[in-house]
């Protein structure tokens, strides 16, 4: 049994570039909007990773270079 409180359901979004083949990264606001939850659509049952807005923006900016 976990001491963690139950998490509310997250509203997941897929990229507009997703092909619908269940091979994308999904994101959802988390932590009262302070964090961004990220998961692999192929493994939706696994706990998502959570990032601050600053960390996520830095990561995505690095991908664009």
């Amino acid at each position: 049994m976990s001491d963690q409180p139950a998490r509310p359901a997250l509203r997941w979004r897929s990229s507009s570039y997703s092909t619908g083949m269940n091979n994308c990264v999904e994101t959802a606001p988390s932590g009262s909007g302070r964090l961004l939850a990220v998961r692999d659509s192929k493994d939706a049952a696994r706990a998502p990773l959570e990032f601050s807005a600053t960390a996520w923006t830095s990561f995505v900016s690095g991908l664009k270079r």
Side-chain angles (χ1 to χ4, degrees), residues 2 4 7-8 15 18 24 26 29 32-33 47 49 51-52 55 58 61:
S2 173
Q4 299 280 336
R7 280 181 85 135
S15 168
S18 173
C24 64
E26 298 175 315
S32 300
L49 301 174
F51 298 93
S52 68
S58 178
S61 294

Side-chain angles (χ1 to χ4, degrees), residues 7 10 12 26-30 35-39 48-51:
R7 280 181 85 135
L10 299 175
W12 294 99
E26 298 175 315
T27 62
S30 178
L35 300 172
L36 182 72
V38 180
R39 72 178 182 185
L49 301 174
E50 291 182 307
F51 298 93

Side-chain angles (χ1 to χ4, degrees), residues 10-22:
L10 299 175
R11 293 186 59 149
W12 294 99
R13 285 187 59 190
S14 296
S15 168
S16 59
Y17 293 101
S18 173
T19 63
M21 302 282 294
N22 202 28

Side-chain angles (χ1 to χ4, degrees), residues 28-65:
S30 178
S32 300
R34 294 183 318 270
L35 300 172
L36 182 72
V38 180
R39 72 178 182 185
D40 180 349
S41 62
K42 293 183 299 296
D43 196 2
R46 184 179 223 172
L49 301 174
E50 291 182 307
F51 298 93
S52 68
T54 302
W56 183 252
T57 300
S58 178
F59 172 73
V60 172
S61 294
L63 293 175
K64 293 180 181 179
R65 293 183 189 175

